[in-house]
Amino acid sequence: MLELDLTNVESKEFSNFPVGKTKCWVNKVVKKAPQGQGNPFLEVKLTDGTALLTDRIYLTDKAKWRVQQFLKACQLPHEGKVSLAEADIENRHIIVDCFAEAYKKQDGTEGTAIRVKSYNIDPEFSYPAVTPAVAPAEQDVPSEDIPY
């Protein structure tokens, strides 16, 4: 049994991201693998303060350009081998260019989904460079610290 007290609850209206360019920030990034068949992807949650948009960036060879575009927009390393923590990506300000895509709902009616066309750098924000962690074996060890 579910018992709840819903008195004095303020109703909140959900709004979509608008079509076109929107300044927003990365709210959350999670690497996911689908259950069963399918390709792994990054689930990216974006917010502009009033709306939330979830995008999937697939981690396939054909979609690497999109991953690269997203990381570049976040002002993070985006060439060669990259290793980043999700926390390094979250709370970055970016600009997304969105479009509306029509689809058929399960009940047969038409719906509209907001999709991300491109990720772009927000020129009003700059971040200190994120350097990948260096393994201890690769670090320079002063010669006086090497036991003989």
Side-chain angles (χ1 to χ4, degrees):
M1 173 174 283
L2 181 63
E3 294 182 31
L4 302 169
D5 181 6
L6 301 175
T7 53
N8 300 323
V9 173
E10 291 183 35
S11 140
K12 295 194 176 188
E13 195 65 34
F14 175 78
S15 62
N16 284 327
F17 265 49
V19 171
K21 293 186 179 184
T22 302
K23 291 184 176 215
C24 62
W25 63 89
V26 180
N27 197 26
K28 188 149 186 78
V29 175
V30 179
K31 183 178 177 182
K32 292 189 171 186
Q35 307 246 346
Q37 293 184 353
N39 295 309
F41 58 90
L42 292 178
E43 183 177 80
V44 178
K45 294 189 182 281
L46 306 165
T47 184
D48 67 356
T50 60
L52 183 67
L53 177 65
T54 302
D55 190 30
R56 287 184 174 182
I57 303 174
Y58 286 91
L59 303 173
T60 63
D61 287 340
K62 288 184 178 181
K64 282 185 180 176
W65 68 270
R66 194 159 153 77
V67 176
Q68 188 176 41
Q69 182 187 68
F70 173 68
L71 292 176
K72 183 177 181 180
C74 291
Q75 300 180 35
L76 291 165
H78 55 276
E79 294 179 348
K81 293 184 180 183
V82 175
S83 178
L84 297 166
E86 286 87 354
D88 292 334
I89 303 170
E90 294 170 358
N91 299 315
R92 298 277 176 152
H93 287 260
I94 62 174
I95 297 174
V96 291
D97 191 1
C98 297
F99 67 98
E101 181 178 67
Y103 70 95
K104 282 212 182 223
K105 296 180 182 179
Q106 289 180 349
D107 64 3
T109 61
E110 298 246 343
T112 304
I114 301 297
R115 303 278 188 226
V116 176
K117 183 190 312 183
S118 65
Y119 293 97
N120 305 284
I121 293 173
D122 186 342
E124 293 181 11
F125 290 89
S126 65
Y127 299 96
V130 173
T131 55
V134 178
E138 297 175 6
Q139 292 178 348
D140 291 331
V141 178
S143 59
E144 63 267 8
D145 292 342
I146 299 175
Y148 291 99

